[in-house]
Amino acid sequence: MNRLQALLFDVDGTLADTEGQGHRVAFNRAFREAGLDWNWDEALYRELLAVTGGKERMRHYIERYRPDFTPPTGDLDPFLAELHRRKNAHYADLLAQGEVPLRPGIERLLREAREAGMRLAIATTTSPENVTHLLENTLGAEAVDWFEIIGAGDVVPAKKPAPDIYHYVLERLGLLPEATLALEDSANGVRAAVGAGVPTLVTANDFTLDDDFSGALAVVDQLGEPGRPARRLPEGTPLGVLDLAALEALWAGR
Ligand code: XBP
Ligand code: MG
């Protein structure tokens, strides 16, 4: 009988609401520290999220909003790399201060999946150390080892919406895409997962509610906890707590 073999988790916006109070705040701190008068408010950041990857996002911002900007050091690449390094240091501080909790149902599902022997992996555009810090600060240091493969950041040439990071993870798991289920929160994430042939459940959030999730198996507001059912979007139909059995049923009915 065909069984679901692995859950593949996106990180930002899926494991935790990292963007609004995490990455965005960290970018702004790095900008101030570097003496730049750039400030990314929530509305602008929502727009900038169309570009995945912190370095790529800053480059896009300069091209679109600061076309006359020249970095003090002359060359843009090393300037952006250093700014991104400082941004990630601020992000790590925010995580350590507990500013970025996991989304509802994530810890419950991860613990249940581990208990059941379900294979777990991560497919994300963010940097590996950001993933490690998030897991350590929310679930404890040992949680990094819960994931067989952590596919993150620059290990692939093209970030989401390219399917590369999913190909990378699937190859290392030794699994066909149809044997797995991805959990994503954004249009770029869905395009990456579906582009690699991976059935995908979307847990949308405030930054992505209006995204185009074409190709996803289903869209819900969150995974649900006792007393706080997951709701199918856009109708709002309550679905209860999405446990492993519910995810397997969704996957099997695809
Ligand atoms: C989300 C992203 C990332 C983060 C910032 O990726 O687009 O770029 O906003 O990450 P995912 P870095 O949902 O796939 O995890 O600054 O570390 O690049
Ligand atoms: Mg995401």
Side-chain angles (χ1 to χ4, degrees):
M1 191 175 78
N2 274 353
R3 296 293 306 264
L4 175 61
Q5 302 289 318
L7 296 177
L8 315 183
F9 286 87
D10 168 51
V11 173
D12 294 303
T14 299
L15 290 185
D17 281 316
T18 53
E19 298 292 4
Q21 297 313 314
H23 291 298
R24 185 184 67 86
V25 173
F27 278 116
N28 285 331
R29 287 187 182 173
F31 298 156
R32 261 200 310 280
E33 192 178 63
L36 299 164
D37 66 344
W38 307 350
N39 182 56
W40 291 0
D41 63 20
E42 295 226 347
L44 174 60
Y45 196 68
R46 184 167 286 116
E47 187 190 316
L48 295 175
L49 277 174
V51 177
T52 59
K55 293 188 288 284
E56 294 81 354
R57 187 169 302 143
M58 290 190 287
R59 184 185 297 278
H60 165 77
Y61 172 76
I62 291 168
E63 284 165 3
R64 170 100 168 68
Y65 293 96
R66 306 276 170 167
D68 298 330
F69 175 75
T70 44
T73 44
D75 208 354
L76 192 56
D77 280 351
F79 177 78
L80 287 182
E82 175 58 15
L83 202 53
H84 193 238
R85 199 185 61 73
R86 289 300 307 152
K87 170 261 169 183
N88 278 346
H90 288 297
Y91 181 66
D93 287 346
L94 290 163
L95 293 178
Q97 288 155 18
E99 294 290 327
V100 184
L102 294 177
R103 293 195 67 193
I106 288 292
E107 178 165 2
R108 168 188 59 69
L109 177 64
L110 286 174
R111 291 193 184 280
E112 187 198 354
R114 271 177 56 72
E115 196 105 323
M118 176 65 63
R119 298 173 72 186
L120 300 174
I122 280 176
T124 177
T125 65
T126 201
S127 324
E129 49 292 0
N130 289 351
V131 181
T132 308
H133 288 139
L134 177 69
L135 296 174
E136 283 173 354
N137 284 292
T138 52
L139 294 163
E142 69 285 356
V144 177
D145 298 327
W146 295 0
F147 298 89
E148 224 175 297
I149 307 292
I150 297 185
D154 298 318
V155 290
V156 286
K159 293 184 176 165
K160 299 175 188 176
D164 303 28
I165 197 68
Y166 278 97
H167 289 147
Y168 175 94
V169 168
L170 288 165
E171 192 183 313
R172 277 154 187 79
L173 287 172
L175 290 174
L176 292 171
E178 55 268 28
T180 68
L181 177 71
L183 286 93
E184 279 283 359
D185 71 300
S186 69
N188 280 326
V190 170
R191 281 175 63 192
V194 171
V198 180
T200 305
L201 170 66
V202 175
T203 52
N205 59 53
D206 286 349
F207 279 108
T208 64
L209 269 179
D210 297 329
D211 278 14
D212 175 1
F213 296 123
S214 305
L217 284 184
V219 181
V220 297
D221 62 342
Q222 36 91 27
L223 290 171
E225 293 280 21
R228 183 181 177 180
R231 289 180 187 277
R232 189 183 274 268
L233 299 178
E235 317 83 41
T237 324
L239 297 174
V241 169
L242 296 182
D243 56 10
L244 200 52
L247 296 193
E248 289 212 58
L250 185 72
W251 172 84
R254 73 196 179 280

